[in-house]
Amino acid sequence: MARKPGLGSLLLAGAAAYGLYKVSKMSAEERSDLLNKGKKLVNDNLGELKNAFGRNGSSPNAREDVYAGDVNYGG
């Protein structure tokens, strides 16, 4: 039984389309400012979330890099 899309999904799609339109009309400097503002907002409000998952700005391979010298293959 398929579910019929409701008004909420239509409004969400409309908001996304409007957002894409507005971003496409911005200059490169305005886009850069918006990106920096978004990064600052996320870091200020969700910065501790990175630490909860062990991602504190390091590379994804940081754990492997730290323990790379600990492996001893016998001998």
Side-chain angles (χ1 to χ4, degrees):
M1 178 176 248
R3 198 174 118 180
K4 181 168 82 166
L7 182 63
S9 60
L10 182 63
L11 289 174
L12 183 62
Y18 179 73
L20 286 173
Y21 168 76
K22 291 295 278 186
V23 168
S24 71
K25 296 296 179 186
M26 287 182 176
S27 68
E29 183 179 333
E30 288 174 327
R31 273 189 238 136
S32 176
D33 290 342
L34 183 64
L35 182 66
N36 290 335
K37 186 188 282 187
K39 285 182 181 180
K40 183 181 182 307
L41 179 77
V42 169
N43 286 336
D44 290 347
N45 296 315
L46 301 174
E48 63 274 354
L49 195 60
K50 286 183 185 176
N51 295 335
F53 290 110
R55 300 277 319 269
N56 55 3
S58 61
S59 70
N61 298 335
R63 189 176 310 156
E64 288 85 4
D65 294 343
V66 168
Y67 295 110
D70 293 345
V71 179
N72 185 2
Y73 292 106

